[in-house]
């Protein structure tokens, strides 16, 4: 009896040690976030073990776990018709919202899911639910792209997939088939999908007309990433920018992708940015990508683009997809509502 008590106490302490991470007081639903983080960390560690044992690549294992827990088949409701199909060889899940009697042609969003170019799927319930809600609330057609991921393919294949699927969708006969208004189409995504959406938006304007910059020109790119001038004081607070003062020029020669605007849309030329349409950018205070989003908004604004920067003080990376139980966060629901509201008013 006594030893089982000791064992139980030790197990509880161990579990608490594993789950607990110190979080800023301002983050939404901190305990739930710790549990979510611990679950993800656990899945990562299992995947690393599988990789170590030589059974599979750790990203394939991790994505297998993510997708098998959350996969949802294409299920149509009375309101939203959901179909899995392919656009020019790229898998897509299409959500067709209910028609509005007064508008025969629908609005449309091309949606690109997040996951660091390596994880998640248009078919997991988080993205399925988000796109279903968008289709229903906006009476719109949502095309969620199932682009190929690392390690199956590497940059720039992901961008090629989203470009190919989008180009196909934009063909007049395809738009007509889905009853989409060609003048009311938006390109959108979260996390890595936001990166791809920005790159896709820029690509649509410049049609692959640029090449990687060489090392000397990298210095010129710095000015486009100026943390001090692009971030308002309300965001810089007392933080110090993380800027590498010394570097190795070889890395840019070995990985020219680093200075390719398709992998880092933030470094695009002003001339490219000024061609972009009205833009909505959602940022979260507790997110490593916070500054990139804000700086991109500032650069677009300086280029004369109409930008809405929607910042959530209690938000964390990826929170917009966490809206339903047990991973329902108050900030998840608020960010999603705010995003859909902007689309409703602007698309
Ligand atoms: C691409 O660049 C070429 C050469 O500068 C130019 O003639 C062409 O118009 C450009 N195309 C687009 C779509 O910008
Ligand atoms: C960034 O902007 C600040 C303020 O405008 C300026 O003092 C600084 O020299 C800039 N840094 C770079 C690397 O351009
Ligand atoms: C999450 O959902 C549960 C069950 O519907 C509800 O009781 C709880 O208040 C929700 N939490 C948040 C933060 O929305």
């Amino acid at each position: 009896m006594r030893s089982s008590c000791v064992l139980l106490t030790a197990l509880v302490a161990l579990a608490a040690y594993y789950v607990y991470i110190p979080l800023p007081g301002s983050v939404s639903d901190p305990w739930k976030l710790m549990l979510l983080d611990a679950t993800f960390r656990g899945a990562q560690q299992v995947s690393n073990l599988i990789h170590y044992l030589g059974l599979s690549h750790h990203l394939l294992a991790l994505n297998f776990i993510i997708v098998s827990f959350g996969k949802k088949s294409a299920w149509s409701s009375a309101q939203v018709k959901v179909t899995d199909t392919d656009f020019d060889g790229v898998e897509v899940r299409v959500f067709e919202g209910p028609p509005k009697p007064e508008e025969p042609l629908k609005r449309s969003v091309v949606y690109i899911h997040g996951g660091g170019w390596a994880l998640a799927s248009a078919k997991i319930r988080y993205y399925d639910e988000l796109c279903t809600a968008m289709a229903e609330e906006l009476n719109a057609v949502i095309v969620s792209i199932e682009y190929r991921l690392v390690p199956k393919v590497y940059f720039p294949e992901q961008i090629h997939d989203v470009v190919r699927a989008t180009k196909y969708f934009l063909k007049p006969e395809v738009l007509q088939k889905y009853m989409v208004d060609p003048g009311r189409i938006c390109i959108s995504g979260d996390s890595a999908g936001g990166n791809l959406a920005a790159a896709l938006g820029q690509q649509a304007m410049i049609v692959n007309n640029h090449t990687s910059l060489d090392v000397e020109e990298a210095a010129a790119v710095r000015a486009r990433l100026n943390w001090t001038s692009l971030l308002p004081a309300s965001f810089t607070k007392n933080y110090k920018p993380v800027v590498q003062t010394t570097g190795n020029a070889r890395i840019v020669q070995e990985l020219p992708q680093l200075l390719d605007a398709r992998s880092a849309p933030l470094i695009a030329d002003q001339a490219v940015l000024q061609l972009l349409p009205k833009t909505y950018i959602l940022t979260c205070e507790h997110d490593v990508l916070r500054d990139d989003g804000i700086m991109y908004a500032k650069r677009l604004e300086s280029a004369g683009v109409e930008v809405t920067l929607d910042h959530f003080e209690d938000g964390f990376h990826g929170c917009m997809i966490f809206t339903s139980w047990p991973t329902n966060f108050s900030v998840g629901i608020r960010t999603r509502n705010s995003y859909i509201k902007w689309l409703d008013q602007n698309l």
Side-chain angles (χ1 to χ4, degrees), residues 18 38-51 62:
Y18 189 76
T39 309
F40 190 65
R41 214 164 353 111
Q44 273 178 310
Q45 283 158 352
V46 169
S47 308
N48 290 345
L49 181 68
I50 290 172
H51 189 107
L62 185 56

Side-chain angles (χ1 to χ4, degrees), residues 6 10 61 90 93 112 132 172 178 189 205 234 236 247 261 283 291 304 326 330:
V6 170
V90 180
R93 180 166 280 192
I112 310 169
T132 301
Y178 288 101
M205 308 298 159
S234 59
T236 56
T283 54
D291 295 352
S330 121

Side-chain angles (χ1 to χ4, degrees), residues 258-292:
L258 291 175
L259 289 182
D260 186 323
R262 292 171 304 170
S263 78
L266 180 56
I267 62 172
D269 282 328
Q270 171 100 350
V272 172
L273 297 183
Q274 70 196 15
L275 299 172
L276 291 172
K278 196 189 264 194
T279 302
Y280 172 86
I281 296 181
L282 192 156
T283 54
C284 293
E285 182 66 16
H286 308 288
D287 183 354
V288 285
L289 299 184
R290 182 196 77 158
D291 295 352
D292 300 62

Side-chain angles (χ1 to χ4, degrees), residues 170-217:
L170 294 179
K171 285 182 177 183
E173 63 272 24
V174 180
L175 293 180
Q176 200 175 23
K177 176 182 165 197
Y178 288 101
M179 302 288 281
V180 166
D181 182 342
R184 299 176 82 188
I185 299 171
C186 162
I187 294 170
S188 186
D190 65 299
S191 191
N195 170 310
L196 284 163
L200 176 59
Q202 293 177 6
Q203 287 279 294
M205 308 298 159
I206 57 176
V207 196
N208 230 351
N209 234 8
H210 66 303
T211 51
S212 316
L213 306 171
D214 65 19
V215 184
E216 269 116 69
E217 279 170 294

